[in-house]
Amino acid sequence: MSDVMAGQSAGTQTEQPAAPSGDKNRSLWGDVAYQLVRSPMFWVSLTLVLVILSMAFVPSLWAETSPNASGACQLENARQKPSAAHPFGFTAAGCDMWSSVVYGTGKSVIVAILVTIGTVALGVSLGTFAGYFGGFGDTLISRVTDVFFGLPFILGALVFLAIFPERNVWTITAVLTLFGWTSLTRVMRGSVISTKQKDYVDAARALGAGDLFIIRKHVLANSIAPVIVLATIGLGTFIGVEATLTYLGVGYQRPTVSWGLLVAEGQNLALAGYWHLLVIPAAFIVITVLAFILLGDVLRDALDPRTR
Amino acid sequence: MGRYVARRLIQFMPVILGTLFLLHILSVLTIQIVGDPVRALFGENAPPASVIQQMRADYNLDDPCLKQTGNPCVGLFFDRLGQYGTGNFGINFRGREVTELFLERFPVTVRLTVIALVFETIVGIFIGVLAGLRKDKFADNFVRFSTVLLIAFPVFVFGTLAQLFVGLQIGLKLRESTWAPDWLGQMLNVVYSPDYPWLSLMLPGLVLGAFSLAAIARLTRTSLIENLRSDYVRTARAKGLSGPRIVGIHTLRNSLIPVVTYIGIDIGILLGGALVTEGIFNIPGVGQLVFLAIGANDTPVILGVVTILTIVFLVSNLLVDILYAALDPRIRYE
Amino acid sequence: MSNTLTDTTKSNEAAPRTKKSPLSGLSFDSSAPLLEVENLQVEFHTRDGVAHAVNDVSFALGEGETLGILGESGCGKSVTAQAIMGILDTPPAKVTGGQVRYRGVDLLQLDEKTRRHIRANKIAMIFQDALSSLNPVFTVGWQLGELYRKHTGASRKEARAKAVELLEMVGIPAAKARVNDYPHQFSGGMRQRVMIAMALALQPDVIIADEPTTALDVTVQAQVMTLLSDLQREMQLGLILITHDMGVVADVADKICVMYAGHAVEQADVYEIYEQPAHPYTKALLESIPRIDQKGQELTVIKGLPPALVDPPPGCAFHPRCAFAQDRCKTDEPPLYKLPGNRRSACHYWEEVVKS
């Protein structure tokens, strides 16, 4: 779902003058940091991401009472529009809207983080194995990836979750990981294959380096950049996917406070005039996903060797 | 070219079998873990065992392998394959054939998807080219910003907001006003109306295609920029060709290659998105069928429809691959 | 090799469909040298500063002559070629001075539309990597025919027939069938021949070949160079051969211009340069060529690295690496001194270099 990482190198039209040597001897990461620090988009998205993470892990910092606390939700307050005292109004269940969205952050973000960890772990290991060692292992992994790719993500997740009655953090995470590991694996495999063909790998081997060493030092180091970018963007995407599944009814269930459910509840009532029930949780979802995607985009620009 | 098509067909067979098997294992595994859905259907009331037994047989759920967790139920898989071959994709819990339900609702979904596809490719490619040609200028920055924003909206968020603000707020005013033409008001409707089978699908189609539009625009832009920097463009300039010709003929075809690849994946995204979109706009299509089935816990329908959609997805991917080879001659000889 | 092209030219001139040449407004001086570059200056505006890619470079080319431009990567030879063609990426490149005269007309003063017509019609270019320089999604016949379709108004059929002729002219077997093939279906040497064909299609007067054989095997190199020089002789073209390979250029060139760090540092006839270099850089280049009778000895290298063009050293650009450098070299940038026998050298101490 993220942009196709164009792997082929574009030929340069003229030999550009040689880069200055001397005091500006920057390493790859130094260069990346240099560019990032100067990018306003980086700071904006990073700040947003940090705010969101803190809402996810320490919601009490942002909202005094949890909507899950007893007595926090009063039906008489249900659907109240925003006012001075409660600038975000009340949800359909009578809970403070602000607290609801804040406490809902964790539900979505934590799933996304777990899924990202899972897909990166699977993707990097399977992709490296397939790309580096080739042969039967590669064929097997590639065929399996093809098979998984044949099943559209949401549909596959639906089948599983629709039948499975347990819908909590772990099952949702497991399902998303099960269907999400394929993208990163393919990208990693491609990256490893192209790195493997580079001359410096041959050189390292000629110097007696073993496979594991080459993988660790050369292959992983070169492929890590696209993985970082895709993982960041993927995190944002998974937040959206979880919210979608929850909205459809196969994710988090009531009474868990989650964004998807807030939107599901708010949708019909909004058409009857209660805008805030839809707009506020929707805004939270969009801003959160946007923050991660922007961060990933900025990282991609900084790590792209061609823009340097 | 013919050999390429033959090769793709041969590669296609194991993949489609594999994916169907994957679906099969998923459903089988869950049934083994959870217990069969027939029993769950009746909730508190337990009908006589013979009724349950009969239903199990009807729904192909009476295979003993379903009692053993971990058994891949290969026999059952081949039985099911046989049934698929005859067009039998199961029966819903009220006795109607899934295939029948599917065919009833299929045309609407096709209309919706076609609108989305046409919209996203034409507009997406257009603004992608625009942005690529005016790199770093206002048009480019605007496109980059707005596409990122669009991508951040999950379909259901975009759909519900569009329904509220465009369909209700703007659309209602248009429909109630005296000066706006009828078709304009119907285009921005809140729900699907069978009286306007194409017009009332416009807004949902837009919603469905929005994400992919953004993705295609970005892809086209990146691809165009990269192609404009390539050596063969330098050669074209050395040949004294004009700017518009270099862009329009030399680079465009090369730039569209990744876009075609993307459209293959996109069909899968659209199928999932159609589900959500039809739910929001109350469109009586295949997606809504699944949507309702989730609510009613009607497992055979979910499984049957997803199976059909998967086959549709794989076949369209195959067609896209062939289209790709028509565009890029290097692929034909791989 | 029959030159079918000259035959068809005559019929082309008679064909009523030929477009009116946009060059008709220009007055070309047939007594002036074919191509004259005078004091060419090209700058690149990069993030780290302004790079002086081409500094005050001058040379001339006559009909049937071959000029070899020699130098290492980054010395500005490709930039010079592209400045002549007018295909530099502007920005970041900028031609900031000098003239490029084709038969007396300064190309740099012309508008883009006119320059476009001069490209391929009068001055054509061959690039190094034919695989990336040819469009992968169009057939070779289409790409060759395009020149005729766009520049002479030929029909598709005519253009195709010409394309087949071109392929035959450059020695590609089974041209009629091959004309429908894609670039990736040719071998490296064949592809380069296609590039040559593309350059010669409209019968230009000047061909600039930018490292045409660098990407090829040695045996194929020889074939391609032979083809190029044969065609040049037949069509009396002016050829500028850009390379870093001293062996290739010795065979083919009449005169040589050695470039370093954007400057032309030595210019002479080919024999004089090889027998008696008059610039320390040329001398060092010649000495660094590995020789068979040097077996067992360490290879000679030129110590140091080429300078950064955003921040070149003061005085002579080569002085940090020069065996003949004196104090004067650090402050005074040497002009191109005129030597006896139509030679030039940008070295204050050229006499010592010649004597050693």
Side-chain angles (χ1 to χ4, degrees):
Chain A
M1 278 183 232
S2 47
D3 275 337
V4 172
M5 300 274 298
Q8 70 222 105
S9 54
T12 42
Q13 297 207 19
T14 34
E15 279 171 14
Q16 294 262 340
S21 51
D23 53 344
K24 287 220 200 113
N25 231 328
R26 309 198 275 250
S27 66
L28 168 70
W29 294 104
D31 229 0
V32 170
Y34 179 81
Q35 208 171 327
L36 282 179
V37 162
R38 268 153 193 67
S39 157
M41 190 53 77
F42 172 68
W43 290 111
V44 168
S45 55
L46 185 66
T47 314
L48 267 178
V49 165
L50 290 174
V51 164
I52 291 163
L53 287 175
S54 71
M55 275 193 197
F57 290 104
V58 203
S60 49
L61 265 183
W62 297 89
E64 295 146 355
T65 38
S66 157
N68 297 319
S70 64
C73 302
Q74 310 279 354
L75 270 176
E76 60 211 17
N77 288 333
R79 300 187 300 278
Q80 267 191 35
K81 298 213 179 147
S83 61
H86 291 265
F88 291 87
F90 287 85
T91 67
C95 317
D96 178 41
M97 176 65 85
W98 172 254
S99 325
S100 300
V101 280
V102 167
Y103 277 82
T105 313
K107 300 284 176 303
S108 302
V109 172
I110 290 176
V111 161
I113 291 178
L114 289 173
V115 172
T116 305
I117 294 176
T119 51
V120 167
L122 276 175
V124 169
S125 42
L126 288 175
T128 309
F129 182 79
Y132 191 79
F133 294 107
F136 179 68
D138 181 16
T139 318
L140 183 64
I141 293 178
S142 298
R143 292 296 138 252
V144 172
T145 327
D146 283 344
V147 162
F148 269 86
F149 263 118
L151 197 53
F153 196 119
I154 302 251
L155 298 182
L158 256 182
V159 167
F160 195 85
L161 287 169
I163 309 180
F164 213 83
E166 280 290 320
R167 292 154 186 174
N168 55 37
V169 187
W170 302 108
T171 46
I172 300 176
T173 304
V175 171
L176 292 186
T177 313
L178 182 66
F179 291 101
W181 65 273
T182 46
S183 300
L184 227 102
T185 308
R186 253 200 196 163
V187 170
M188 192 68 196
R189 177 180 173 274
S191 183
V192 168
I193 287 179
S194 76
T195 308
K196 196 171 79 151
Q197 290 168 348
K198 294 236 162 73
D199 288 337
Y200 54 77
V201 171
D202 284 340
R205 226 191 287 271
L207 288 170
D211 283 331
L212 219 53
F213 179 81
I214 294 181
I215 291 180
R216 219 187 66 229
K217 206 147 192 344
H218 293 292
V219 169
L220 283 182
N222 275 285
S223 320
I224 208 75
V227 168
I228 292 179
V229 173
L230 287 175
T232 312
I233 297 181
L235 219 155
T237 321
F238 287 128
I239 293 177
V241 172
E242 177 276 318
T244 307
L245 290 171
T246 303
Y247 170 82
L248 286 174
V250 294
Y252 286 109
Q253 304 291 314
R254 293 191 183 82
T256 315
V257 178
S258 92
W259 291 339
L261 285 173
L262 285 170
V263 172
E265 285 168 1
Q267 178 199 353
N268 285 315
L269 290 167
L271 288 173
Y274 298 96
W275 290 16
H276 67 290
L277 293 179
L278 173 61
V279 174
I280 295 176
F284 257 74
I285 296 176
V286 172
I287 293 177
T288 306
V289 174
L290 190 62
F292 283 98
I293 291 184
L294 280 177
L295 187 60
D297 245 8
V298 161
L299 285 174
R300 189 216 310 267
D301 283 341
L303 288 167
D304 183 356
R306 271 171 277 135
T307 54
R308 269 184 275 121
Chain B
M1 185 69 177
R3 236 177 297 172
Y4 175 79
V5 175
R7 249 185 311 129
R8 287 311 272 119
L9 276 173
I10 296 176
Q11 286 173 349
F12 176 70
M13 303 312 330
V15 174
I16 192 171
L17 279 175
T19 310
L20 290 176
F21 189 62
L22 177 65
L23 252 182
H24 164 81
I25 293 191
L26 270 181
S27 58
V28 153
L29 202 61
T30 25
I31 294 178
Q32 285 167 350
I33 297 175
V34 171
D36 75 81
V38 175
R39 182 66 191 83
L41 198 64
F42 291 97
E44 309 268 285
N45 322 312
S50 55
V51 176
I52 295 190
Q53 210 36 44
Q54 181 55 44
M55 285 193 81
R56 284 215 183 101
D58 286 337
Y59 296 114
N60 250 331
L61 295 169
D62 57 349
D63 196 317
C65 79
L66 289 172
K67 301 262 195 299
Q68 314 156 7
T69 311
N71 186 335
C73 293
V74 185
L76 182 57
F77 176 59
F78 284 109
D79 282 343
R80 278 193 180 155
L81 276 185
Q83 290 175 339
Y84 295 157
T86 57
N88 177 2
F89 285 90
I91 324 176
N92 81 352
F93 277 155
R94 267 179 262 160
R96 293 193 63 197
E97 278 191 19
V98 171
T99 317
E100 207 187 299
L101 290 166
F102 184 86
L103 288 173
E104 253 176 27
R105 291 167 164 270
F106 186 60
V108 186
T109 306
V110 169
R111 284 204 294 274
L112 177 66
T113 319
V114 162
I115 291 178
L117 261 174
V118 168
F119 172 64
E120 78 193 27
T121 33
I122 294 182
V123 179
I125 291 177
F126 180 73
I127 62 177
V129 169
L130 196 68
L133 289 178
R134 292 184 181 12
K135 183 173 189 295
D136 293 332
K137 300 212 187 85
F138 175 72
D140 181 28
N141 289 321
F142 177 73
V143 167
R144 289 174 73 183
F145 178 71
S146 50
T147 48
V148 159
L149 198 59
L150 265 182
I151 288 180
F153 275 80
V155 183
F156 78 95
V157 171
F158 198 66
T160 46
L161 288 175
Q163 187 184 43
L164 179 61
F165 289 111
V166 179
L168 189 59
Q169 304 292 318
I170 302 178
L172 192 61
K173 288 199 180 58
L174 285 177
R175 281 188 293 281
E176 286 179 348
S177 76
T178 44
W179 54 269
D182 196 36
W183 56 265
L184 191 61
Q186 288 307 326
M187 253 176 66
L188 306 175
N189 210 334
V190 178
V191 290
Y192 173 72
S193 157
D195 298 327
Y196 299 92
W198 283 93
L199 281 177
S200 60
L201 284 180
M202 283 295 161
L203 185 59
L206 232 109
V207 164
L208 183 56
F211 175 87
S212 306
L213 184 152
I216 287 178
R218 306 196 94 206
L219 203 53
T220 310
R221 174 190 174 273
T222 310
S223 182
L224 187 70
I225 289 176
E226 204 177 282
N227 274 290
L228 285 172
R229 288 200 300 212
S230 61
D231 286 350
Y232 68 81
V233 164
R234 183 180 59 181
T235 308
R237 290 170 71 191
K239 279 162 81 170
L241 299 173
S242 68
R245 183 177 173 87
I246 295 179
V247 172
I249 301 197
H250 280 260
T251 49
L252 199 60
R253 217 170 120 175
N254 279 279
S255 308
L256 289 182
I257 291 173
V259 177
V260 169
T261 313
Y262 176 78
I263 293 185
I265 313 171
D266 188 42
I267 296 180
I269 300 176
L270 285 178
L271 287 176
L275 227 136
V276 173
T277 314
E278 290 182 8
I280 295 175
F281 289 91
N282 203 21
I283 302 171
V286 172
Q288 194 194 49
L289 180 60
V290 178
F291 194 69
L292 297 171
I294 296 174
N297 273 317
D298 200 334
T299 321
V301 172
I302 299 177
L303 196 54
V305 174
V306 171
T307 307
I308 300 177
L309 290 178
T310 306
I311 296 176
V312 167
F313 176 57
L314 285 168
V315 169
S316 48
N317 254 345
L318 180 67
L319 293 173
V320 166
D321 271 348
I322 294 176
L323 178 63
Y324 177 38
L327 275 185
D328 186 353
R330 290 170 290 187
I331 293 295
R332 297 179 212 165
Y333 303 94
E334 258 185 5
Chain C
M1 228 178 302
S2 68
N3 197 343
T4 42
L5 278 185
T6 19
D7 301 334
T8 40
T9 313
K10 297 200 192 93
S11 59
N12 226 2
E13 275 167 354
R17 239 178 302 146
T18 313
K19 291 186 193 165
K20 174 172 185 274
S21 172
L23 303 177
S24 51
L26 297 172
S27 47
F28 292 117
D29 183 355
S30 46
S31 63
L34 182 57
L35 185 69
E36 253 187 308
V37 172
E38 201 179 302
N39 302 116
L40 186 63
Q41 296 268 135
V42 180
E43 282 174 4
F44 272 83
H45 294 260
T46 70
R47 197 170 46 165
D48 299 304
V50 174
H52 303 275
V54 177
N55 296 300
D56 225 13
V57 169
S58 307
F59 54 78
L61 183 73
E63 277 173 47
E65 252 192 341
T66 304
L67 166 69
I69 301 187
L70 206 57
E72 18 182 355
S73 305
C75 73
K77 38 194 214 298
S78 292
V79 177
T80 308
Q82 292 184 27
I84 297 174
M85 291 290 288
I87 58 177
L88 280 172
D89 245 354
T90 309
K94 201 167 167 207
V95 178
T96 49
Q99 295 193 356
V100 174
R101 288 193 295 274
Y102 170 75
R103 294 209 190 278
V105 176
D106 184 10
L107 300 177
L108 299 176
Q109 302 298 321
L110 299 174
D111 63 290
E112 173 60 17
K113 195 157 176 243
T114 319
R115 286 202 83 171
R116 245 198 295 129
H117 286 278
I118 291 192
R119 282 175 215 146
N121 270 296
K122 303 286 176 203
I123 309 179
M125 194 154 167
I126 300 171
F127 296 98
Q128 172 178 336
D129 183 1
L131 183 57
S132 62
S133 298
L134 290 169
N135 196 326
V137 300
F138 292 110
T139 62
V140 149
W142 187 96
Q143 297 188 51
L144 285 171
E146 188 180 25
L147 285 158
Y148 295 105
R149 278 180 278 126
K150 286 292 135 198
H151 281 278
T152 66
S155 72
R156 275 179 202 263
K157 241 176 103 177
E158 289 168 351
R160 204 152 183 288
K162 291 265 182 61
V164 174
E165 278 174 28
L166 277 174
L167 289 181
E168 284 169 353
M169 182 179 81
V170 294
I172 290 183
K176 274 215 189 69
R178 294 293 260 168
V179 83
N180 293 322
D181 281 345
Y182 292 92
H184 67 275
Q185 292 174 273
F186 288 78
S187 70
M190 291 286 155
R191 264 198 298 271
Q192 199 56 285
R193 290 169 189 257
V194 169
M195 283 237 76
I196 294 176
M198 209 148 71
L200 295 171
L202 300 173
Q203 296 181 280
D205 299 317
V206 179
I207 302 265
I208 305 176
D210 191 352
E211 311 236 27
T213 55
T214 305
L216 303 171
D217 289 339
V218 182
T219 39
V220 180
Q221 262 185 32
Q223 291 170 2
V224 169
M225 285 313 302
T226 312
L227 172 69
L228 202 49
S229 54
D230 283 347
L231 289 169
Q232 180 207 11
R233 223 174 324 124
E234 257 186 58
M235 300 165 77
Q236 278 300 291
L237 306 167
L239 174 64
I240 298 180
L241 181 61
I242 298 175
T243 180
H244 60 268
D245 186 337
M246 305 199 77
V248 162
V249 93
D251 232 359
V252 171
D254 299 314
K255 39 191 211 189
I256 294 195
C257 170
V258 181
M259 282 185 74
Y260 182 79
H263 296 263
V265 296
E266 186 170 358
Q267 291 173 332
D269 285 344
V270 62
Y271 295 113
E272 288 167 340
I273 284 216
Y274 279 87
E275 280 172 15
Q276 244 187 4
H279 191 280
Y281 178 58
T282 319
K283 190 166 161 63
L285 274 181
L286 286 166
E287 279 169 3
S288 68
I289 300 177
R291 293 161 51 143
I292 289 196
D293 55 358
Q294 261 184 330
K295 207 163 85 159
Q297 297 167 18
E298 235 182 71
L299 294 171
T300 337
V301 296
I302 310 178
K303 288 196 182 57
L305 291 167
L309 294 170
V310 279
D311 194 20
C316 171
F318 188 60
H319 84 253
R321 309 166 78 186
C322 180
F324 295 82
Q326 316 267 348
D327 280 336
R328 188 182 170 196
C329 302
K330 296 185 187 151
T331 51
D332 287 348
E333 193 179 312
L336 259 181
Y337 291 103
K338 276 208 172 83
L339 275 58
N342 206 16
R343 296 183 68 171
R344 283 176 176 65
S345 171
C347 179
H348 297 303
Y349 301 98
W350 61 267
E351 284 160 329
E352 273 130 66
V353 181
V354 170
K355 281 198 199 107
S356 66

